[in-house]
Amino acid sequence: GGIILKFSPDGTRNTFATDVGLPYSLAIDASGNLFVSDWDTGSIYKLTPKGEKSIFATTEIAAKFLACDRTGNLFAGVPLKHSIFKYEPNGAKSDFATGIIPNVLTTDKDGSVYAGDTGNTIFKFTPDGTKSEFASVATPPRGLAFDASGNLLVAESVSGAISKFASNDAQSVFLAGR
């Protein structure tokens, strides 16, 4: 427990950091800083590219999902608080979204935050926090990622399917489930 491993492109494994509690979620910002949520303490550690470690923030209850936008903001999904918190690069915290049980998070190139909830809905939050329903999938989302073309890929938990949402809102099956 408490070890972060780093794998190089050739598969070489190195220990990047130790003593980070019980790591639960990871996110990397545009500057290469790694953020790690600690399940035990609710702390969010910041590790610089050189491996320097500090406590960046504390959520009291573990942040299960982390995501960074291009301007250096960190978003922490805390399902037990029904919230997504926003941390600015200087550590200032604000309630970004409430009334949602986040199940997964990601950000797009424009700074919008996408959050899957414990149901089958994916919500989109603009940088100012305006919420809209972006899409629905057959089973709760477990992974969200944008590809280089700006398409949102959604991995579903129960079906194992991966859906693709194009920037023009067209939905297709990228990979069929089990």
Side-chain angles (χ1 to χ4, degrees), residues 72-118:
N73 296 309
L74 173 69
F75 297 88
V78 183
L80 292 176
K81 290 196 172 225
H82 297 223
S83 296
I84 300 170
F85 299 114
K86 177 181 176 180
Y87 296 91
E88 296 176 22
N90 65 5
K93 176 186 173 185
S94 61
D95 291 336
F96 183 73
T98 58
I100 181 172
I101 303 173
N103 200 37
V104 64
L105 294 176
T106 195
T107 60
D108 68 12
K109 64 181 169 90
D110 298 324
S112 292
V113 176
Y114 293 76
D117 69 1
T118 54

Side-chain angles (χ1 to χ4, degrees), residues 120-144:
N120 301 352
T121 304
I122 299 164
F123 294 101
K124 177 181 178 180
F125 297 89
T126 60
D128 69 0
T130 302
K131 176 182 173 182
S132 63
E133 188 173 311
F134 178 75
S136 292
V137 289
T139 62
R142 281 312 226 183
L144 301 175

